[in-house]
Amino acid sequence: MGKGKAEVGTPKYLANKMKAKGLQKLRWYCQMCQKQCRDENGFKCHTMSESHQRQILLFADNAGHFIDSFSSEFMTGYLQILRRQFGTKRVSANKVYQDYISDRHHLHMNATKWHSLSEFVKYLGRNGHCVVDETDKGWFITYIDRDPETLAMQEKLAKKQKMDKDDAERLAEFIEEQVRRGQKEEEPCTSYTELKRETEEETIKIELKLVSNSKAESKPIKLEKRPLEATAEARKEKKYKSGSSSEFKKPSALEELIREEEIKKEKNNRKDYWLAEGIVVKLVTKSLGESYYKEKGVVLEVIDRYRAKIKLLETGEKLKIDQAHLETVIPAIGKQVLVLNGGYRGNTAVLKEIDTDNYCVTIEIASGPLKGRIVNNVQYEDISKLF
């Protein structure tokens, strides 16, 4: 009669539980049956059992499939420990392996296609899972995170850093402009010119007659002409009569100020994203299929500034697509458009002229405080048709 199991609570039962809790020798473990034996005799008895023989027959029929499956499971478990506990930090490969095998139900390396931890680490480096390097203290690895969510977060962070950098540059330029204007105002603006007479014929004649008599009568000074007054009058008449004078060609201070403000507004409102709700766009990518190429749609919603949810005008189908796969649509003359970039960004306008040679248009602002202003040389990609 066979010897039964120890009863619950007896010293033998507790001893068996304590032995089973720790790790056993790897050479007495059967991966096919997932059974750990405590000694050589127990492992020998297991290999002679009927259940083990059935598992060996299954393994013999398709050995490559089982080895690949065990290798994939081992690599997945190892990389999960590396990613969760250490992230992208450089760590010893053996340290990660010790944490992996601390679970007594782990898949053993002797069931995989790798015969040693060094071969496994080299495999991870060749296939781009990790960055590996060998030192005097052994192999060290650094996990390469290729998770889609992590990549999306990194891309979003890079865009945020770029926008913050642009804002900082604009602030620095604004401060520099204010300093330059302050220095210009402190400098004396008075300019001196040489006094020149336009004619040398006009002279002043003074007649003086000296007499010995103390009661001699002095004659008044006679001024035949007043050349300075004549010169001033001549200049004044010349200024008003001559319409092509250089004074009229020079722009006024107000015009200079307006021009500077427009340049500053153009620079501040020039962004690398241009999508807006309610505009008509055209698909210019063939990755969605030939049936979508050159199709037009209206933007229903802008997602994260660089993507949009559009509705195709012909089929009514809705798509989510990046702005890199879209382009603006130029309507007929007289139709309304929306300014998408530049100094007048966000204003509606009316299309006045189209310059096909230079790929630009002339528009008239139809909204805002600048309503009625004519803007020339607006690029095709800065405006789009309103739906």
Side-chain angles (χ1 to χ4, degrees):
M1 188 173 179
K3 184 168 58 175
K5 294 183 177 180
E7 295 183 3
V8 178
T10 60
K12 186 173 181 59
Y13 175 82
L14 295 176
N16 291 340
K17 284 294 183 181
M18 291 176 66
K19 291 179 181 178
K21 187 176 181 181
L23 294 176
Q24 306 295 323
K25 289 189 177 182
L26 187 59
R27 60 177 177 170
W28 295 333
Y29 181 81
C30 177
Q31 184 64 57
M32 287 297 298
C33 302
Q34 297 183 356
K35 181 175 178 59
Q36 175 72 59
C37 300
R38 295 181 185 173
D39 52 26
E40 187 176 358
N41 184 47
F43 186 72
K44 183 178 180 181
C45 292
H46 170 72
T47 57
M48 296 174 64
S49 64
E50 184 180 353
S51 62
H52 178 77
Q53 295 297 328
R54 285 197 300 267
Q55 294 294 329
I56 292 300
L57 289 176
L58 290 174
F59 180 80
D61 290 341
N62 195 356
H65 171 73
F66 281 100
I67 291 178
D68 290 342
S69 176
F70 292 150
S71 301
S72 177
E73 184 178 348
F74 176 80
M75 185 177 69
T76 302
Y78 186 91
L79 291 178
Q80 283 181 352
I81 295 290
L82 176 61
R83 180 170 62 88
R84 291 175 181 174
Q85 294 191 14
F86 303 99
T88 55
K89 296 180 180 179
R90 183 174 176 268
V91 65
S92 172
N94 188 54
K95 169 65 177 172
V96 182
Y97 180 71
Q98 295 300 323
D99 291 345
Y100 173 73
I101 66 175
S102 61
D103 180 10
R104 64 189 302 267
H105 299 293
H106 72 277
L107 192 143
H108 294 73
M109 184 178 284
N110 63 351
T112 66
K113 59 184 177 181
W114 303 291
H115 300 291
S116 65
L117 182 61
S118 299
E119 292 184 10
F120 174 64
V121 170
K122 293 177 183 178
Y123 174 83
L124 294 179
R126 286 195 304 268
N127 288 269
H129 297 288
C130 301
V131 178
V132 301
D133 60 298
E134 186 179 11
T135 64
D136 296 337
K137 297 181 180 180
W139 287 92
F140 283 78
I141 57 177
T142 305
Y143 181 66
I144 301 175
D145 195 351
R146 301 186 186 276
D147 185 60
E149 293 182 359
T150 304
L151 295 177
M153 187 179 299
Q154 291 175 353
E155 184 179 358
K156 187 180 294 185
L157 181 61
K159 289 181 180 179
K160 183 178 181 300
Q161 291 177 350
K162 182 181 178 181
M163 292 178 61
D164 293 343
K165 184 179 179 181
D166 293 342
D167 293 340
E169 290 178 353
R170 286 197 295 268
L171 180 60
E173 291 177 357
F174 175 75
I175 294 174
E176 184 179 354
E177 177 67 17
Q178 295 297 324
V179 172
R180 186 182 64 81
R181 286 190 176 185
Q183 293 176 350
K184 187 176 180 181
E185 290 177 358
E186 291 177 0
E187 294 177 357
C189 57
T190 306
S191 59
Y192 300 95
T193 57
E194 184 181 358
L195 177 61
K196 294 183 178 180
R197 296 178 178 177
E198 294 185 355
T199 177
E200 298 295 336
E201 295 180 356
E202 298 176 355
T203 57
I204 300 175
K205 295 182 179 180
I206 301 175
E207 294 183 359
L208 298 176
K209 187 176 181 181
L210 298 177
V211 294
S212 59
N213 190 3
S214 59
K215 296 182 179 181
E217 296 179 358
S218 59
K219 294 184 179 181
I221 300 174
K222 182 180 180 181
L223 299 178
E224 295 185 356
K225 292 185 180 180
R226 302 173 66 183
L228 293 179
E229 293 181 3
T231 303
E233 291 179 0
R235 287 180 180 177
K236 190 173 181 180
E237 292 177 0
K238 184 178 180 181
K239 179 178 178 181
Y240 283 100
K241 290 182 181 179
S242 176
S244 60
S245 179
S246 60
E247 285 82 2
F248 284 92
K249 291 183 180 180
K250 184 178 180 180
S252 63
L254 179 61
E255 292 175 348
E256 285 287 343
L257 185 60
I258 293 175
R259 188 175 65 85
E260 289 180 5
E261 289 296 329
E262 288 185 350
I263 294 175
K264 185 186 298 183
K265 187 166 62 173
E266 167 72 21
K267 190 173 183 180
N268 292 340
N269 291 337
R270 177 67 58 179
K271 307 289 184 182
D272 60 346
Y273 52 89
W274 52 268
L275 291 171
E277 295 181 4
I279 62 172
V280 179
V281 292
K282 183 189 295 183
L283 276 74
V284 292
T285 178
K286 295 184 180 179
S287 59
L288 300 176
E290 294 290 340
S291 59
Y292 294 99
Y293 186 60
K294 295 295 184 180
E295 285 292 317
K296 294 181 180 179
V298 58
V299 177
L300 301 178
E301 181 183 358
V302 179
I303 306 171
D304 297 333
R305 295 180 178 177
Y306 297 91
R307 291 192 303 153
K309 181 179 180 181
I310 68 171
K311 179 180 179 182
L312 299 182
L313 297 180
E314 291 190 1
T315 62
E317 188 176 354
K318 296 181 180 180
L319 303 171
K320 286 184 179 180
I321 192 166
D322 192 88
Q323 70 172 13
H325 304 308
L326 300 171
E327 70 175 14
T328 59
V329 175
I330 306 301
I333 295 177
K335 299 293 184 180
Q336 279 200 337
V337 296
L338 181 66
V339 183
L340 306 175
N341 225 336
Y344 302 93
R345 184 187 185 109
N347 291 315
T348 58
V350 178
L351 186 62
K352 290 297 185 181
E353 296 180 6
I354 300 177
D355 187 356
T356 56
D357 295 333
N358 298 316
Y359 304 100
C360 60
V361 297
T362 299
I363 59 174
E364 180 182 350
I365 304 300
S367 65
L370 302 176
K371 182 177 180 181
R373 173 171 292 186
I374 302 298
V375 184
N376 300 315
N377 300 324
V378 180
Q379 300 300 316
Y380 281 175
E381 59 268 19
D382 289 347
I383 63 168
S384 191
K385 177 182 178 181
L386 273 174
F387 181 67

